[in-house]
Amino acid sequence: DKLRTFVMDGIKVSDQEALDWYLWENAAVKIAYVAFAPDRYSDIEVTDEEVQEYFEANQDRYKTELKLKAQYIHFDPQRFADGVTVDDEAVKTYFETHPEEFKVPKTVKARHILFRLEKESPPEVVEEKRKKAEEVLALARGGEDFAALAKAHSEGPSRDRGGDLGTFRKETMVKPFADKAFSMKAGEVSDPVRTQFGWHIIKVEAVNEASEKTLAEATESIRKKLTDEEARSIAYEKAESVYDAVYEGDDLMKVAEGRDVPVEATGWFTVKSGPDGVSSPVQFARAAAELSDMQITDIQDFSDGYYLIQVTERAPEVVAPFADVKAQVREDLIKSRQSEKSLADAQAFLAALKDGADMTEEGAKKDLAVETTSFFKRREEIPGIGQSPEIGAAAFELSERSPMPEAPISAQGGNYVIRFVERKAPDADAFEPEKAALKARLLQQKQRRAFGEWLAQVKDESDITIVQDMVN
């Protein structure tokens, strides 16, 4: 413990580090995109000879999956929550020192009908869309159902929901739209409002005025938050104490003896599926796959607590006989050809845009829809696309000056051509309530990494002898 303290004491997290991480984590971007799905190309045929050649060239793809068995300790914060006491004074102190956290901002629930315009639409097109908006506005103010009008006339992604935008804060919408929506009363329908996306007719369905929670209203959530934080800290300390007792080659079961930490055993699992009975099976499996037999991971931070994992058995991969996988090989070859065609068309589409073609018009030529996402953060799913680290990473590299990537983005679901629409900086005022917890989390990560690096260096520079008679 003294040595750990000595190594970690000099590690600090500055306010600027925490702010930089907060700004990076919470920045949001909006993009337009066209998806080139491989299954659009349904007329591809392949011969038996081509299938055989594809198998010979890609035998590694037809290995049986690596299978593993493991044992693990789950340090579940909920096990320690009952032993945590958060008194009223601690709750009150938290409430008084985090005032921003208990402010409830004004929100509006609204629908809209969008008449879409491209950024460089000529004046005559802008006026034509405005007149169309005025015509639909007259129907709305004449008593026709707004949701039905949105389904019939809107050109936005919320069309199928009757234009429903849900309940939102002012800063989540583009300024002209937000300024208008937040100046209206429930039940009102706006005149056409121009934004970078086109003309909008807005109907406000509810207005929730800003408020502040009282201490009494916030007490339960504060107590739970402080309890959860303390329980998670205790769980980490327990994991740390067990991990510190581990020597290379130790059996996790023996290490856990007398420590009141149950060791669980998995059945056979693959890296793709992971084991049953854990909250993050794929994350668990990936960590286990990097281990050699009987090696123990460092502390794994999963959504439901901390884990130490040890692989106990392994069934290696082998190449399957061609006859057993022929149908799969044929399917894979067709998919490969479809992907090649998808990529070629996406590359041609992107080249046309870079030569000045309009994205919507170019998409219409190929019967492809141009979609626009709502704002999303780096670690969030992309609206309309789903989880895609590749597209997310590329989107955050774009800007008004450089609105398109160098090449189409290959991701699950095909090849995508994306274009920058708008970037939104995080709410700087929201950083202060999060700063203390954020700094504590970053400090813990830095300390854990620093101690692990120091320990690895010591091991590399040392001659270590394990005397089995002493440890058995």
Side-chain angles (χ1 to χ4, degrees):
D1 287 343
K2 288 180 179 178
L3 179 58
R4 179 182 295 278
T5 299
F6 174 76
V7 173
M8 293 183 173
D9 262 359
I11 298 172
K12 307 293 180 187
V13 174
S14 68
D15 287 357
Q16 187 61 48
E17 282 181 274
L19 178 60
D20 289 345
W21 191 94
Y22 171 82
L23 294 175
W24 184 90
E25 181 77 1
N26 290 285
V29 72
K30 184 184 292 188
I31 59 172
Y33 66 91
V34 172
F36 290 80
D39 57 13
R40 296 181 72 240
Y41 309 95
S42 56
D43 57 347
I44 293 175
E45 300 289 341
V46 295
T47 66
D48 287 345
E49 291 76 12
E50 289 174 322
V51 173
Q52 178 75 48
E53 289 173 5
Y54 189 80
F55 173 76
E56 297 295 339
N58 297 277
Q59 288 193 19
D60 283 350
R61 294 183 58 181
Y62 302 102
K63 288 182 177 180
T64 58
E65 287 190 77
L66 169 68
K67 292 184 177 180
L68 302 168
K69 279 187 177 181
Q71 57 187 10
Y72 65 92
I73 303 173
H74 175 202
F75 301 88
D76 184 355
Q78 293 306 311
R79 284 188 62 212
F80 310 106
D82 289 344
V84 175
T85 300
V86 177
D87 60 28
D88 292 342
E89 188 60 33
V91 171
K92 183 180 179 183
T93 299
Y94 187 90
F95 180 80
E96 291 174 347
T97 54
H98 297 77
E100 293 298 321
E101 198 169 318
F102 305 105
K103 291 182 178 179
V104 181
K106 180 179 178 178
T107 58
V108 164
K109 185 178 189 301
R111 296 178 184 269
H112 81 141
I113 302 171
L114 171 64
F115 302 89
R116 186 179 294 282
L117 290 168
E118 290 301 315
K119 195 172 183 178
E120 304 300 329
S121 294
E124 57 271 21
V125 174
V126 174
E127 179 60 18
E128 179 186 338
K129 288 294 182 83
R130 188 193 65 78
K131 288 181 179 178
K132 186 175 180 182
E134 292 281 4
E135 292 171 2
V136 176
L137 174 61
L139 297 175
R141 287 180 172 168
E144 292 198 27
D145 182 72
F146 194 91
L149 289 173
K151 287 181 178 181
H153 299 283
S154 182
E155 298 169 356
S158 63
R159 171 179 180 163
D160 293 340
R161 302 191 304 273
D164 186 13
L165 298 172
T167 301
F168 52 88
R169 295 166 61 172
K170 187 172 184 178
E171 61 269 21
T172 62
M173 296 294 177
V174 292
K175 191 174 187 306
F177 186 101
D179 287 347
K180 185 61 181 177
F182 277 75
S183 69
M184 296 167 63
K185 297 177 182 178
E188 287 186 341
V189 178
S190 74
D191 291 335
V193 177
R194 175 74 190 275
T195 74
Q196 65 202 58
F197 304 109
W199 291 102
H200 306 255
I201 303 171
I202 306 167
K203 180 178 182 180
V204 170
E205 297 189 331
V207 176
N208 308 300
E209 296 295 343
S211 62
E212 292 188 20
K213 289 184 179 180
T214 64
L215 175 58
E217 291 170 332
T219 291
E220 185 178 346
S221 63
I222 294 173
R223 198 182 302 279
K224 184 179 186 308
K225 180 175 184 177
L226 296 180
T227 298
D228 290 347
E229 288 178 355
E230 180 62 19
R232 196 167 183 89
S233 179
I234 294 170
Y236 182 79
E237 290 171 4
K238 290 280 188 183
E240 206 169 42
S241 68
V242 175
Y243 181 70
D244 288 347
V246 169
Y247 287 90
E248 190 171 345
D250 277 351
D251 186 321
L252 195 59
M253 189 75 73
K254 290 183 178 179
V255 174
E257 286 178 0
R259 295 178 179 273
D260 189 31
V261 283
V263 178
E264 306 288 342
T266 73
W268 288 107
F269 64 89
T270 67
V271 177
K272 289 182 180 178
S273 63
D276 295 329
V278 300
S279 65
S280 304
V282 174
Q283 194 175 356
F284 183 106
R286 287 173 180 168
E290 295 178 358
L291 303 173
S292 55
D293 289 352
M294 298 307 290
Q295 183 182 1
I296 298 174
T297 60
D298 57 5
I299 299 169
Q300 300 295 305
D301 185 354
F302 294 171
S303 60
D304 64 339
Y306 303 99
Y307 286 72
L308 290 175
I309 305 167
Q310 182 175 51
V311 169
T312 54
E313 292 185 67
R314 153 187 328 261
E317 305 163 305
V318 294
V319 177
F322 175 65
D324 292 350
V325 294
K326 182 177 179 180
Q328 182 62 52
V329 177
R330 178 181 297 277
E331 184 180 332
D332 291 347
L333 176 55
I334 290 173
K335 286 182 178 178
S336 175
R337 298 277 174 85
Q338 288 175 319
S339 294
E340 290 171 2
K341 179 63 175 170
S342 163
L343 178 59
D345 284 356
Q347 289 170 332
F349 186 86
L350 180 59
L353 298 190
K354 290 185 175 182
D355 285 341
D358 177 84
M359 194 173 195
T360 300
E361 291 176 1
E362 196 66 21
K365 291 178 185 177
K366 301 181 182 299
D367 196 26
L368 291 166
V370 178
E371 303 289 350
T372 301
T373 70
S374 54
F375 282 106
F376 61 92
K377 299 178 183 179
R378 281 183 168 86
R379 301 193 186 190
E380 292 179 341
E381 286 195 355
I382 301 173
I385 295 175
Q387 197 69 42
S388 178
E390 305 89 350
I391 296 175
F396 278 90
E397 293 294 322
L398 303 181
S399 64
E400 289 187 3
R401 179 174 294 181
S402 180
M404 289 177 286
E406 290 298 314
I409 313 301
S410 295
Q412 186 174 3
N415 293 284
Y416 291 77
V417 174
I418 66 174
R419 188 191 69 192
F420 176 83
V421 174
E422 188 178 358
R423 184 183 297 268
K424 182 173 66 176
D427 179 5
D429 291 339
F431 170 65
E432 279 302 321
E434 298 294 329
K435 183 170 71 173
L438 179 56
K439 288 180 70 173
R441 188 162 71 250
L442 292 176
L443 179 62
Q444 190 178 74
Q445 291 172 1
K446 287 180 73 174
Q447 288 176 330
R448 189 191 318 162
R449 184 168 60 249
F451 189 80
E453 291 171 353
W454 176 85
L455 189 59
Q457 181 181 351
V458 171
K459 284 183 176 180
D460 288 343
E461 295 174 353
S462 303
D463 294 322
I464 300 174
T465 303
I466 299 175
V467 183
Q468 294 298 334
D469 290 343
M470 299 286 289
V471 298
N472 286 344

